[in-house]
Amino acid sequence: MDRNILSALKSINVAEVDRATWISVGMALKEEGYPCSIWDDWSKNDPRYHAGECEKKWAGFNGTGKPVKGGTIVQMAKERGWMPCAEGAMAWDDTIEYDGNDGFNGFAPPDAWNPTADLISYLELLFDPNDRVGYVTGDVWQDSEGKWVPSKGVYDRTAGELIASLKKHSDDIGATVGDWKPEVGGWIRFNPLDGEGVKNENVTKFKYALVESDTLPIAEQDILFRKLELPIAALVHSGGKSLHAIVHVDAEDYEEYRKRVEFLYDFLTGNRSVGPHARLVPRSLARPGDIVQLGTGDEDYYHSPVITAVTPALLVAAHTNDALDRPLDSYGAAAVRFLHIDGVRTW
């Protein structure tokens, strides 16, 4: 079965479709070999739902000379902004496993960058035209240690507006996003906002998460990302010493997001193949670069910041709210666990 069909189905709001479309979805699911329960579970999100109706209709779907197939569901979802997983990308419940050497030698910077074209590609890859994009250029400040920190920046312009302006001012990227300090650079978010702010509640779609490393050479980072075969939407050079792998998460709700965090934990602590591997340690043995996971009193873990310092206080960094060197204790989490990164296997 094609996992894209179920992913596409989740993106379609059953309450917004007419009866003929609803029946077409049921026929397509049966034609593709799915059980009636899939159609029934999806239908329960509609206030028009009647228990037992799906089963009755399902029994009458006996096929035709021109059967409705899964492509119908996929096309409906695409019309609503859904994007299928990239060919060859893994699903979140797949086993991470490298299947051979592809001969790739890793990322090498080009002789010359084209920042305007690169930013257009970034926006087109990650955002729909009407998505509002958050970015920071000149709106920065220095903390007590002299580190440059982004403020709220701009968060009310759409990707379509930015792309149009970049194409109009192709020789002056600053005319679109503003000028930045050369020693600092800029920041851009990868999840769309509602135009009202930059907090968690202002994120309209939790489509992507970030994976990065500051310890491996950039070429080796690139090779490692490819070996892991994660569902990467874009690889972005930070301008410094890391590649940012922007990975599809597409979590629809808190429960699904929590499962993503558990997936990360299970992979890091259980990995015996290529990639990073870790072990659970007490707080006293945690080191900068390790991961700390925050959870509820029931030990449902929901957040995975990276440790940046352990003395005199344990500090963390996370892309949520662009947190940098935030005291761990300020989160007030009921449960905390520490993952010490033992190393990265590249064989």
Side-chain angles (χ1 to χ4, degrees), residues 71-328:
T72 298
I73 297 174
V74 171
Q75 183 58 38
M76 288 169 55
K78 286 182 176 179
E79 292 170 356
R80 290 161 172 80
W82 171 84
M83 294 290 290
C85 293
E87 184 67 27
M90 57 172 283
W92 281 98
D93 56 355
D94 285 346
T95 300
I96 296 181
E97 182 177 60
Y98 183 44
D99 53 13
N101 186 352
D102 57 12
F104 182 70
N105 294 318
F107 172 83
D111 294 332
W113 294 94
N114 186 333
T116 300
D118 290 340
L119 183 52
I120 290 173
S121 295
Y122 179 94
L123 293 169
E124 290 178 338
L125 279 170
L126 302 183
F127 296 92
D128 295 327
N130 292 326
D131 285 341
R132 289 184 172 86
V133 182
Y135 61 90
V136 179
T137 49
D139 188 14
V140 298
W141 56 280
Q142 283 184 292
D143 64 15
S144 59
E145 297 180 355
K147 293 182 180 180
W148 288 100
V149 181
S151 297
K152 287 186 177 180
V154 179
Y155 46 82
D156 59 354
R157 300 179 70 186
T158 68
E161 291 172 354
L162 292 170
I163 291 170
S165 179
L166 288 165
K167 291 180 177 179
K168 181 178 180 180
H169 305 287
S170 59
D171 295 329
D172 184 8
I173 191 172
T176 297
V177 297
D179 295 321
W180 57 88
K181 297 180 183 296
E183 69 272 25
V184 179
W187 290 260
I188 185 168
R189 298 173 182 273
F190 43 74
N191 283 320
L193 303 168
D194 61 7
E196 301 296 328
V198 295
K199 296 182 178 179
N200 280 351
E201 54 264 33
N202 300 118
V203 177
T204 58
K205 306 172 195 170
F206 288 92
K207 297 174 66 175
Y208 307 107
L210 179 71
V211 178
E212 62 176 320
S213 169
D214 288 334
T215 57
L216 289 174
I218 283 184
E220 291 185 24
Q221 293 176 40
D222 196 2
I223 293 171
L224 179 59
F225 287 143
R226 293 169 187 267
K227 286 182 176 180
L228 291 179
E229 297 181 345
L230 295 171
I232 295 174
L235 275 175
V236 181
H237 191 285
S238 69
K241 54 183 179 180
S242 66
L243 284 179
H244 290 177
I246 301 174
V247 179
H248 278 284
V249 175
D250 299 320
E252 297 185 11
D253 51 33
Y254 169 79
E255 179 63 22
E256 191 168 358
Y257 178 73
R258 185 182 63 79
K259 290 178 180 178
R260 300 293 189 257
V261 177
E262 287 299 318
F263 179 92
L264 174 63
Y265 172 82
D266 291 341
F267 169 57
L268 288 174
T269 57
N271 182 33
R272 298 293 181 270
S273 184
V274 170
H277 52 98
R279 55 191 166 89
L280 200 61
V281 298
R283 178 170 178 152
S284 60
L285 296 181
R287 296 291 181 267
D290 290 347
I291 291 174
V292 54
Q293 293 195 310
L294 312 181
T296 66
D298 296 327
E299 295 190 343
D300 284 339
Y301 292 91
Y302 55 84
H303 195 30
S304 301
V306 177
I307 297 173
T308 58
V310 295
T311 58
L314 200 153
L315 307 178
V316 299
H319 273 262
T320 305
N321 295 333
D322 288 326
L324 177 63
D325 292 337
R326 174 174 172 173
L328 175 64

